[in-house]
Amino acid sequence: MTTTMHTRPLGTTGLHVSALGLGCMGMSALYGDADRAESIATIHAALEAGVTLLDTGDFYAMGHNEMLIGEALRAAPAARREQALISVKFGALRDPDGGWSGYDGRPAAVRNFAAYSLQRLGVDHIDVYRIARIDPDVPIEETVGAIAELIEKGYVRHVGLSEVGAETIRRAAATAPISDLQIEYSLISRGIEREILPTLRELGIGVTAYGVLSRGLISGHFDRDRQLAANDFRAHSPRFQGENLQHNLNLVDALRVIAERKGATVAQTAIAWVLSRGTDIVPLIGARTRERLAESLGALEVTLDAADLAAIEEAVPADAAAGDRYPSAQMAHLDSER
């Protein structure tokens, strides 16, 4: 991979990461079966290409994803292992059947979750720690305060947030310095531009943007007739259903015209668009294979000028997507959507 990897600051807490991060969730859960050996090889290839940020959640396949990353880091050359910065989400409660039972942001729970993550990852500290969704029964100040205590003890380096709205961001930032907010942001998920992104920039907080390819929907690789496995999140996602899917893939077709004119793929163009939104935004690419990783990294070589951006905006206007980004039960947990 011959791309040139630059770094970007995540907020003003001193954290600098690669311009693209690797979201590792799909290597363990929610997108159907994954190949363990290929997943580890993909993590190694990402590190070799200069990717420093690895993102996971302790509830991704009930710890499987953390153990996978730990295994990959142990097998990586020392120099590559030392460059890795790990971002962990916690708080989701699961059951043995794979069900979801809410979120726990109590300080005692924060310390408990962290202890298990450190063990599974095989590290002595977590670089960014964040609750995946706020616990409605626990003030965000208590949850963030508990992470700040872990920082004082050396177990965590930075406090992050995930899927919270402007008011919660302000309350959290008044409690402890916040490095970044992790939130969905893509050509077809632009809600943060109204209030959340301005608030983050006012407070000097960065963004790690997940879902930049909308779970493959705007990657250019999703086929209209594709059959999804029952254990694939997209089989239940509103944007992948019926007429919604047809409408959204029509947007992809329009984007493809611009991508081809640029000599880029649809995925590269979509990622490049997110990169263009500001140096305080770090897209997370959810590649599960070295092939998809190489394609995504190629976005770093795509330059979008004013005419390109205008054409993209015309092809895929803000709020053009059909369907919510999560099923209604999960949308209810998003403080960022209130």
Side-chain angles (χ1 to χ4, degrees), residues 247-267:
H247 171 88
N248 294 330
L249 289 180
N250 286 342
L251 298 175
V252 176
D253 290 339
L255 183 61
R256 193 186 310 276
V257 174
I258 300 167
E260 291 176 349
R261 191 164 63 232
K262 293 289 296 181
T265 68
V266 174

Side-chain angles (χ1 to χ4, degrees), residues 55-186:
D55 182 78
T56 185
D58 64 8
F59 50 91
Y60 292 163
M62 280 68 91
H64 177 279
N65 202 238
E66 289 183 319
M67 291 188 288
L68 180 74
I69 291 173
E71 181 180 346
L73 291 178
R74 287 192 298 274
R80 299 304 181 196
R81 182 169 62 248
E82 291 167 5
Q83 81 187 32
L85 301 168
I86 304 174
S87 167
V88 177
K89 292 178 290 298
F90 68 88
L93 302 176
R94 308 293 304 273
D95 61 41
D97 295 324
W100 302 80
S101 307
Y103 296 88
D104 193 343
R106 295 171 302 138
V110 174
R111 294 187 290 270
N112 179 78
F113 289 133
Y116 281 90
S117 286
L118 290 166
Q119 179 68 24
R120 286 188 292 257
L121 288 163
V123 297
D124 61 8
H125 71 272
I126 296 165
D127 294 286
V128 189
Y129 204 44
R130 68 185 90 237
I131 189 165
R133 305 285 188 269
I134 62 170
D135 181 343
D137 298 322
V138 178
I140 191 64
E141 291 86 350
E142 293 185 19
T143 303
V144 167
I147 302 174
E149 291 177 3
L150 290 173
I151 291 176
E152 292 176 2
K153 294 181 178 181
Y155 294 122
V156 171
R157 294 287 188 265
H158 302 272
V159 182
L161 297 171
S162 175
E163 285 289 356
V164 295
E167 179 185 351
T168 303
I169 293 167
R170 292 187 184 281
R171 289 169 52 198
T175 304
I178 307 297
S179 63
D180 67 306
L181 169 68
Q182 186 172 123
I183 194 164
E184 186 167 354
Y185 187 42
S186 73

